Amino acid sequence: PIEVIETHGLDAFRYFLARHISSYDDGDFSVEKYEDVYNNELANELGNAVSRVSAMVIKYQSGVIGDIPPAEHDSNSYHESIALCKFDRALEEVWEQVRGLNQYIEEEKPWEVAKENDAEHLQEVLAYLCSSLLEIAELLVPFMPETAMKISKVFAEGIIRPLDGTLFPKTEE
């Protein structure tokens, strides 16, 4: 585990163990599976979402998010899973939100809204995305505290505070 942690960090390792090793059953670990999860779920899905949203707010709104609406996702299943120590299920709930956020980006196409010069709609879309990422960060605190803190720092103040580098740099498989 020390080599894996030194390569990808403790948060990524915690995530893999909590999400991909059942809370109550035996589990399998392989470096190949871990690398796949790291690159696809953490780098592509979460890391890319943070990067894309922050880049769009910088490009289209000079880094100003504006008023961030309160999170609207139902997190009851997440909290129930936490209470039952079913951490894999709790993280599955979080990852449904991550995937939903990426789907929302593809459906709303903020880059096209920007071309239409509909600043109000664009601000609503980007603020919703920032709100969703802040909620995801909050839900990740028990599993990935450093990652949650980094995401929060990017969006929480109503202006973008870009990361130094990427959240999860992709690795060669």
Side-chain angles (χ1 to χ4, degrees), residues 6 73 87 90 93 105 119-120 126 135 142 155-156 158:
E6 287 174 351
H73 296 97
F87 305 125
E93 292 291 326
I105 292 170
E120 186 177 327
L126 294 176
E135 181 180 31
F155 301 102

Side-chain angles (χ1 to χ4, degrees), residues 23-41:
S23 301
Y24 292 101
D25 295 318
D26 291 339
D28 292 321
F29 177 89
S30 73
V31 172
E32 295 78 22
K33 184 175 179 183
Y34 178 80
E35 291 285 333
D36 183 59
V37 166
Y38 178 88
N39 284 320
N40 291 315
E41 294 175 21

